């Protein structure tokens, strides 16, 4: 019913930048919060950043000042600009969206397929 498609991952040297994008499509009435999470090998998935429909943002302490989340509500797309990348940022990055698919129904959470970000030292 709802698909989230991520793009923009890749390999970058420490100190470099990448911009991730995630576009939502399908049976969408409205989208509440959107966000990015990441999972490194052998670790649990963790929150990176979230943004509400009105633009309020929240960041993990480890990325504050380096990453910026934004969204284009007209395109149902969320972005993550990552600057000053560090080897510790290496992970699979997942997009998440809380989507209302029909009037009178509670919003549901959806995940993208993930995009690999690798930062070399």
């Amino acid at each position: 019913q709802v698909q989230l498609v991520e793009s923009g991952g890749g390999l970058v040297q420490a100190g470099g930048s990448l911009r991730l994008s995630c576009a939502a499509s399908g049976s969408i009435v409205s989208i509440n919060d959107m966000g990015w999470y990441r999972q490194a090998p052998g670790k649990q998935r963790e929150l990176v950043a979230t943004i509400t429909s009105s633009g309020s943002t929240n960041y993990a302490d480890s990325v504050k000042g380096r990453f910026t989340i934004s969204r284009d509500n007209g395109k149902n797309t969320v972005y993550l600009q990552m600057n000053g990348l560090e080897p510790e940022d290496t992970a699979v990055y997942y997009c998440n969206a809380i989507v209302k698919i029909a009037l009178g129904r509670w919003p549901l959470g959806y995940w993208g397929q993930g995009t690999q970000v690798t930062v070399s030292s």
Side-chain angles (χ1 to χ4, degrees):
Q1 292 166 319
V2 175
Q3 297 80 41
L4 301 180
V5 179
E6 299 131 336
S7 61
L11 173 64
V12 64
Q13 288 188 331
S17 299
L18 284 174
R19 188 189 193 213
L20 305 183
S21 299
C22 172
S25 62
S27 301
I28 298 171
V29 172
S30 62
I31 302 178
N32 295 350
D33 291 6
M34 302 185 81
W36 291 94
Y37 294 72
R38 67 187 182 187
Q39 187 166 16
K43 294 187 177 181
Q44 291 188 334
R45 190 173 298 188
E46 63 177 5
L47 179 147
V48 176
T50 61
I51 184 167
T52 67
S53 58
S54 60
S56 296
T57 58
N58 179 55
Y59 295 93
D61 287 343
S62 59
V63 306
K64 282 181 181 178
R66 299 188 297 123
F67 292 8
T68 302
I69 190 170
S70 61
R71 65 190 282 175
D72 184 330
N73 291 332
K75 295 181 179 180
N76 291 334
T77 299
V78 64
Y79 306 95
L80 186 68
Q81 178 66 43
M82 304 185 293
N83 299 327
L85 283 161
E86 304 169 350
E88 293 74 23
D89 296 316
T90 295
V92 178
Y93 283 69
Y94 296 92
C95 171
N96 175 266
I98 309 301
V99 182
K100 192 168 188 177
I101 62 172
L103 294 177
R105 293 184 60 179
W106 290 103
L108 299 174
Y110 293 87
W111 292 94
Q113 80 285 357
T115 185
Q116 177 71 45
V117 172
T118 303
V119 184
S120 63
S121 58

